């Protein structure tokens, strides 16, 4: 999908008068980011309200291409890119502290197969972070306290294409892990090979294969667990045209409905195009708000292209009862 997006963007760049932007700034090693608030559309869905949208920019060479985010205990946000970098920053509305940009695997010789982070999930109590690498179909576990990192190439994920490997991953409260690939298969080309692990995949937990069936034409790009045990899956579709664009939806799905060898299907709960600026959204995280309401954070991957932006969305979501 990344190659497809880049080809479409190149075509748009060759078309006069489409998506014209300023030249890229001179790259530096400055850790500073610029956060600009965008006008928030007044439209909202039944359950979702867009309360903020920001464009994030930086001249740092490590900035951009963020495909996963997670929330840290100190209220900060950690974003990981498909180039193996991370951005730690204070989200808008929180007490602001200096941002930090670096390699996710510091001190390592990094190639694309060990840098293409497409998904990230975190244990809220231990702080341990798991990352999924699309280029190698690997899952790695990092203990930030000790700096120890381990990785595994799960048998259940072998054979996934190097350009359509693990794209979304989440650790559930009961310790299970769900991993969705970006590939599409099945009779109608709508089902993505997927795996649910009974425990930590790095520890060799047993796995069951199933497929994830997204809305027609869409692919999963990330997912996050809700307090009630269900998950929100971020799905995206490339819309061809001049300029090309993106359509993004959120799908609510229940892990209790996953059965080995069958398709897992959720319910569309919102089309982001209707309430937020359109972009290549690839990262999602959730945190508790007031009462039963939740705050949903969504971030876009700019593919390091001058035609795209790094956007951060903040939505309020009041999920209906599972019953």
């Amino acid at each position: 999908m990344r190659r497809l997006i880049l080809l479409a963007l190149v075509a748009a760049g060759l078309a006069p008068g489409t998506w014209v932007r300023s030249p890229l700034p001179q790259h530096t090693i400055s850790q500073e980011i610029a956060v600009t608030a965008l006008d928030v559309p007044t439209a909202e869905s039944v359950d979702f309200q867009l309360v903020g949208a920001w464009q994030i920019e930086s001249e740092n060479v490590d900035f951009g291409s963020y495909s996963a985010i997670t929330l840290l205990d100190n209220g900060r946000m950690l974003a990981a890119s498909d180039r193996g970098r991370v951005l730690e920053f204070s989200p808008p509305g929180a007490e602001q502290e200096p941002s930090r940009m670096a390699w996710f695997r510091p001190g390592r010789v990094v190639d694309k197969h060990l840098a293409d982070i497409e998904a990230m999930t975190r244990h809220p109590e231990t702080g341990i972070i798991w990352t999924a690498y699309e280029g190698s179909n690997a899952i790695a576990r990092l203990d930030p306290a000790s700096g120890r990192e381990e990785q595994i190439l799960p048998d259940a994920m072998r054979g996934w294409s190097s350009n359509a490997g693990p794209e979304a991953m989440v650790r559930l409260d009961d310790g299970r892990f769900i991993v969705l690939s970006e590939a599409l298969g099945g009779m109608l080309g709508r089902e993505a090979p997927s795996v649910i692990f009974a425990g930590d995949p790095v520890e060799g937990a047993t796995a069951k294969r199933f497929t994830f069936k997204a809305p027609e034409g869409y692919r999963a790009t990330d997912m996050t667990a809700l307090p009630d045990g269900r998950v929100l899956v971020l799905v995206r579709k490339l819309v061809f045209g001049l300029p090309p664009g993106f359509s993004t939806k959120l799908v609510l799905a229940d892990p209790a409905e996953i059965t080995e060898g069958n398709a897992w299907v959720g319910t569309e709960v919102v089309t982001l195009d209707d309430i937020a600026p359109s972009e290549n959204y690839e990262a999602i995280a959730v945190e508790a708000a007031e009462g039963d309401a939740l705050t949903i954070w969504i971030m876009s991957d700019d593919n390091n292209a001058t035609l795209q932006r790094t956007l951060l969305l903040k939505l309020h979501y009041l999920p209906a009862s599972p019953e």
Side-chain angles (χ1 to χ4, degrees):
M1 176 59 76
R2 179 177 175 83
R3 292 174 185 170
L4 193 62
I5 291 173
L6 292 176
L7 286 174
L9 294 177
V10 169
L14 295 176
T18 60
W19 281 12
V20 176
R21 295 199 180 206
S22 303
L24 282 173
Q26 182 67 38
H27 285 311
T28 72
I29 58 173
S30 168
Q31 297 288 300
E32 294 184 0
I33 60 174
V35 181
T36 304
L38 306 179
D39 291 335
V40 175
T42 56
E44 59 184 71
S45 72
V46 175
D47 300 319
F48 289 84
Q49 178 187 7
L50 179 67
V51 295
W54 299 267
Q55 180 173 349
I56 306 177
E57 299 172 282
S58 175
E59 296 182 0
N60 190 302
V61 68
D62 290 334
F63 179 83
S65 291
Y66 300 114
S67 52
I69 54 174
T70 190
L71 301 173
L72 304 178
D73 293 336
N74 57 6
R76 304 260 281 174
M77 186 172 289
L78 184 70
S81 81
D82 53 24
R83 296 186 300 133
R85 275 80 156 181
V86 291
L87 166 66
E88 183 180 329
F89 66 104
S90 302
E95 182 178 350
Q96 297 297 301
E97 297 182 8
S99 57
R100 179 182 68 88
M101 283 170 270
W103 284 92
F104 182 75
R105 298 160 59 95
R108 303 290 185 87
V109 176
V110 179
D111 62 23
K112 178 65 174 176
H113 285 73
L114 293 177
D116 191 355
I117 300 173
E118 290 291 344
M120 176 169 58
T121 189
R122 179 177 179 272
H123 193 301
E125 297 177 2
T126 65
I128 292 176
I129 295 173
W130 290 262
T131 49
Y133 293 89
E134 183 181 43
S136 58
N137 292 332
I139 296 178
R141 180 181 63 195
L142 173 67
D143 184 348
S146 65
R148 183 183 181 188
E149 184 183 40
E150 301 172 88
Q151 67 173 340
I152 191 172
L153 301 173
D155 289 338
M157 292 164 47
R158 292 187 187 276
W160 290 3
S161 169
S162 63
N163 194 48
E167 187 74 16
M169 176 175 66
V170 67
R171 179 190 181 276
L172 304 176
D173 284 344
D174 61 11
R176 292 179 297 163
F177 285 71
I178 302 174
V179 183
L180 310 180
S181 78
E182 192 180 10
L184 292 182
M187 293 182 61
L188 300 177
R190 287 179 54 189
E191 298 179 14
S194 305
V195 178
I196 182 167
F197 293 92
D200 186 348
V202 179
E203 298 289 347
T206 58
K208 295 181 180 179
R209 295 183 178 92
F210 65 100
T211 58
F212 173 69
K213 189 174 183 180
E216 185 174 0
Y218 288 80
R219 300 171 189 249
T221 61
D222 202 7
M223 59 182 167
T224 188
L226 303 183
D228 64 16
R230 294 176 294 176
V231 299
L232 273 180
V233 185
L234 184 68
V235 299
R236 175 210 58 209
K237 177 175 70 173
L238 179 62
V239 180
F240 288 96
L242 290 176
F246 305 91
S247 176
T248 309
K249 297 178 181 287
L250 289 178
V251 173
L252 182 62
D254 191 344
E257 298 176 356
I258 295 176
T259 56
E260 188 172 14
N262 295 315
W264 186 37
V265 183
T267 302
E268 297 178 34
V269 288
V270 68
T271 299
L272 283 184
D273 318 6
D274 296 337
I275 62 172
S278 176
E279 236 331 325
N280 179 36
Y281 296 108
E282 290 204 7
I284 186 171
V286 63
E287 65 177 333
E290 296 182 3
D292 295 328
L294 303 172
T295 295
I296 307 296
W297 295 97
I298 297 177
M299 198 170 192
S300 69
D301 175 358
D302 68 356
N303 287 309
N304 279 124
T306 58
L307 305 179
Q308 293 180 254
R309 300 174 292 175
T310 298
L311 300 185
L312 179 68
L313 306 180
K314 180 180 182 180
L315 300 100
H316 280 174
Y317 173 43
L318 185 60
S321 168
E323 288 76 25

